[in-house]
Every structure is written in C-alpha cells, then in structure tokens.
Amino acid sequence: MVHEPPITSGGLPEHTHIQKTKDALLETKVAGTLAATPDVHSLDIAVAAQSGVVHLSGSAPDQRQIDKAREVAQSVEGVERVVSRLAVGRMGQH
C-alpha cells in the first residue's frame, strides 16, 4: 500500500501547499526588510524564495548596495542561503 500525502482544496499535496505558503511569507519578510533598509534601493530588486533559499535579482546603483542587500537578506529569520543575481546598473534597468 502506497501512502499518499493529504491533498488540499487547491489540489496540491498538503506539504507542497505549506511550503509554498512558507516561501511566500519569506519573500514578503525579505522584501520588507530590504525596503526598510535605508542604504538599499530595493525597488529594482526582485525577491523569490524556495525552501529557505532566497534569490535576489535586478539591479542596484553600486556594488556596495548589492553586498548590503545580500547581507540584509541573509539576516532574515528563515533564510538558509542567498543567491544573488543582482547587477550594477541604473535604476529601472534589469
């Protein structure tokens, strides 16, 4: 007999639904923390999370802000690792 995980009302296995919710909450926490950091222009930084791994993409005006964004993201509770694809560039250009 094969044990299947419980299915949520959305049709996803319950553990998948829970992980997607955790990922969304982590994305929100990281994005909020970046937005509240005065030394980081966060409007051009996209945040995605998957199982504790946070991906940053977009642009920042200089390398110092890229380094700061990584540091801030890593400091958020629940973040296991940060993968940065941030590039130095003018605001609004990705």
Side-chain angles (χ1 to χ4, degrees), residues 22-67:
K22 287 181 180 180
D23 291 343
L25 289 172
L26 189 57
E27 288 172 11
T28 300
K29 285 182 6 183
V30 171
T33 303
L34 287 170
T37 303
D39 297 342
V40 176
H41 294 277
S42 63
L43 292 177
D44 287 333
I45 298 175
V47 178
Q50 186 174 17
S51 301
V53 178
V54 171
H55 298 264
L56 304 177
S57 59
S59 62
D62 55 49
Q63 186 62 46
R64 181 189 59 75
Q65 286 195 37
I66 291 173
D67 295 341

